[in-house]
Amino acid sequence: MTSRFLVTERRAIVGLASLYASRMLGLFMVLPVLALYADHLEGATPLLVGMALGGYGLTQALLQIPFGLLSDRIGRKAVIGGGIVLFIIGSIVAANATSITGIIIGRCLQGSGAVAGAIMALLADQTREEIRTAAMATIGLSIGVAFAVAMVAGPLIADIGGLAGVFWFTAALAACGLLILWKLVPKAPRRMSHRDVGIDRRQLRATLGQSDLLRLDFSIFALHLILTACFTALPFRLEALGFAPADHGWVYLPVMALAFLGMIPLVIVAEKYRQMKPIFVGAVAAMTLILLGFGELATDRVTLVTLLWGFFVVFNLLEATLPSMISKLAPAGAKGTAMGVYSTSQFFGAFLGGTLGGALSQGFGVQSVFLGAAAVGAVWLAVVWKMPAPRHLSSEIIALDEQSMDRLDTLLERFASVTGVEDVMVVPEEQVAYLKVDRQHLDVEALASIAGNQWQRTDA
């Protein structure tokens, strides 16, 4: 089988990556501006502003799994389209709000369009097993780009149109997303469950009982708690050091670009040279120290911008490596379930971070936000300190042909007997086998002889 993208696969990947990125761009653009531009809103307090920042995370966390399951029943496009409509309604509510309560309602409505799982499931429906990892990586890259663009675009749009302008822009982006969904993304030829993408309720208890996966769930929870909490205070710290709100985007632009460059060699060391645990633990420790620096040392522009660069190096590094670690640790066929729990933890972290940051800012001042975030970082460091180094296992998804389906009774044993295959799950209803393999020791020829022309080596 060819590993090159088919025309329909390419259309699906481009369309869904654009859809995902535009949606995340709309959510992220509010982060660097809401705290600064909320002072004119009726009833605005630091606590309520923080709740508005993180409000989308609560509804995302509560609804993403139900939306994913609903898409299995009534269709991916219908659920995704409905989620986008909810996002548009939330954006319009927030754009017209004259009180902080209206902003909170709008942000929660934005988050209620929790279609991330449905988008990933549709992508899985549209792609063959051997190219699905590359397709998923494209989605991941689009999220990283969206975050970087949002940090720059949010302040620039707010300078022109105020806070309402940011929300109107996100509504327009979402409307474009509807066009992309219906015009660019082709109709899926099938709708199936995919254990590498979706939640499998039968595996949920076992996944929640795996301590190493729980450490990573706590990690993404803490990371997004820290991120959202910091943005209840960072804009004010920039303003206090002479950066006008209109110029914040130009501060974030070079910082984000240089942070991306600073992250790349660390990712290479972690993945290529198999130093995942020391890089991971070192990043958590560095994040904790940077947060202390924000609270105690950031009294001049150079120090603040340097710390900001370090913050985004670490943030981007962890955003890139945590999903990779989940993939390495999840049992064969349980990656989708593990990622579902992981994503839910991320959104709960964003909600609690906004609320905690706002509460600390209101009760004790801006500096306390950074010190509180540093305390979270210290707890995080304690949680992961004794975590065993993850084994560098990769995932393989092998489509089973009719001949393979006729010998299911021996297929599992044959896969398991191949040198380098560490775990295997055969799922007859999906007609696929999920494998975890050690690439350094994998007997490629033996695996190919079993899988036949249904398998080509990937880099999952």
Side-chain angles (χ1 to χ4, degrees):
M1 299 178 69
T2 178
S3 61
R4 299 179 64 181
F5 294 151
L6 302 176
V7 173
T8 54
E9 289 173 332
R10 189 177 295 110
R11 282 181 59 197
I13 292 167
V14 171
L16 291 173
S18 301
L19 179 61
Y20 207 123
S22 63
R23 180 172 164 275
M24 299 310 294
L25 178 62
L27 288 171
F28 287 144
M29 277 200 306
V30 179
L31 280 178
V33 300
L34 182 57
L36 284 175
Y37 287 84
D39 55 352
H40 70 283
L41 295 170
E42 179 185 345
T45 65
L47 172 59
L48 294 178
V49 168
M51 291 179 67
L53 268 180
Y56 80 95
L58 178 62
T59 46
Q60 283 268 355
L62 294 175
L63 295 175
Q64 70 151 345
I65 292 177
F67 268 50
L69 297 174
L70 183 62
S71 76
D72 290 336
R73 292 179 174 272
I74 68 172
R76 316 290 192 209
K77 279 196 169 186
V79 168
I80 295 169
I84 294 174
V85 170
L86 285 172
F87 186 90
I88 293 173
I89 293 172
S91 300
I92 293 173
V93 168
N96 287 286
T98 58
S99 68
I100 191 63
T101 301
I103 298 290
I104 293 172
I105 293 171
R107 288 286 280 172
C108 288
L109 281 170
Q110 282 185 320
S112 69
V115 295
I119 290 175
M120 299 302 276
L122 180 57
L123 185 65
D125 291 340
Q126 296 275 15
T127 53
R128 292 159 297 151
E129 288 79 5
E130 65 266 28
I131 59 93
R132 190 172 299 154
T133 297
M136 297 299 177
T138 303
I139 296 285
L141 179 62
S142 74
I143 298 171
V145 171
F147 179 76
V149 172
M151 291 298 100
V152 179
L156 298 179
I157 294 172
D159 181 51
I160 297 170
L163 190 58
V166 174
F167 286 114
W168 282 119
F169 185 79
T170 62
L173 278 177
C176 291
L178 278 177
L179 291 176
I180 291 171
L181 177 65
W182 296 114
K183 296 295 184 181
L184 181 59
V185 178
K187 183 178 179 180
R190 58 194 171 130
R191 187 167 75 242
M192 296 178 59
S193 60
H194 306 277
R195 299 191 185 209
D196 58 325
V197 176
I199 289 282
D200 183 351
R201 284 172 288 187
R202 292 166 295 183
Q203 295 177 308
L204 193 56
R205 179 175 296 180
T207 302
L208 291 173
Q210 191 166 331
S211 60
D212 290 346
L213 287 176
L214 289 177
R215 285 188 176 98
L216 299 182
D217 295 334
F218 181 81
S219 295
I220 196 63
F221 168 85
L223 182 64
H224 279 261
L225 185 156
I226 288 169
L227 175 72
T228 313
C230 283
F231 275 102
T232 66
L234 264 175
F236 294 117
R237 184 57 60 87
L238 287 168
E239 189 177 41
L241 292 178
F243 293 106
D247 296 330
H248 286 195
W250 301 115
V251 175
Y252 291 123
L253 177 60
V255 166
M256 294 297 293
L258 292 173
F260 179 77
L261 293 176
M263 170 199 73
I264 292 175
L266 296 173
V267 172
I268 292 173
V269 170
E271 294 283 1
K272 183 176 180 179
Y273 296 101
R274 302 199 167 196
Q275 297 297 313
M276 185 67 77
K277 184 185 176 181
I279 291 293
F280 172 49
V281 174
V284 176
M287 175 67 81
T288 305
L289 292 175
I290 289 166
L291 292 167
L292 287 172
F294 277 139
E296 300 293 339
L297 303 175
T299 56
D300 62 85
R301 287 188 173 195
V302 173
T303 302
L304 178 60
V305 171
T306 301
L307 288 170
L308 195 62
W309 171 79
F311 178 87
F312 283 118
V313 168
V314 174
F315 177 81
N316 291 335
L317 172 64
L318 291 169
E319 278 283 289
T321 55
L322 280 170
S324 174
M325 293 175 71
I326 287 280
S327 181
K328 288 175 172 59
L329 291 171
K335 180 181 174 182
T337 303
M339 286 302 299
V341 176
Y342 172 89
S343 297
T344 299
S345 303
Q346 170 185 327
F347 292 126
F348 270 127
F351 168 68
L352 188 59
T355 304
L356 177 64
L360 288 173
S361 179
Q362 182 169 317
F364 306 99
V366 167
Q367 183 182 19
S368 68
V369 175
F370 300 116
L371 298 180
V376 173
V379 173
W380 181 8
L381 185 60
V383 168
V384 301
W385 186 260
K386 292 187 177 181
M387 177 179 177
R391 295 187 64 192
H392 282 256
L393 301 180
S394 302
S395 300
E396 289 287 354
I397 308 171
I398 299 176
L400 303 177
D401 56 17
E402 292 301 325
Q403 184 178 359
S404 298
M405 294 297 292
D406 290 338
R407 45 190 171 85
L408 285 175
D409 53 337
T410 62
L411 193 61
L412 185 66
E413 293 180 4
R414 293 182 67 198
F415 277 130
S417 68
V418 175
T419 302
V421 173
E422 301 293 330
D423 191 15
V424 59
M425 172 185 284
V426 176
V427 186
E429 60 268 27
E430 295 181 31
Q431 293 192 342
V432 296
Y434 296 96
L435 280 66
K436 298 301 288 288
V437 303
D438 183 342
R439 293 207 184 281
Q440 286 193 342
H441 302 99
L442 179 63
D443 187 338
V444 176
E445 292 184 359
L447 183 57
S449 69
I450 299 171
N453 64 358
Q454 300 299 308
W455 175 72
Q456 269 197 349
R457 181 172 175 172
T458 69
D459 294 320

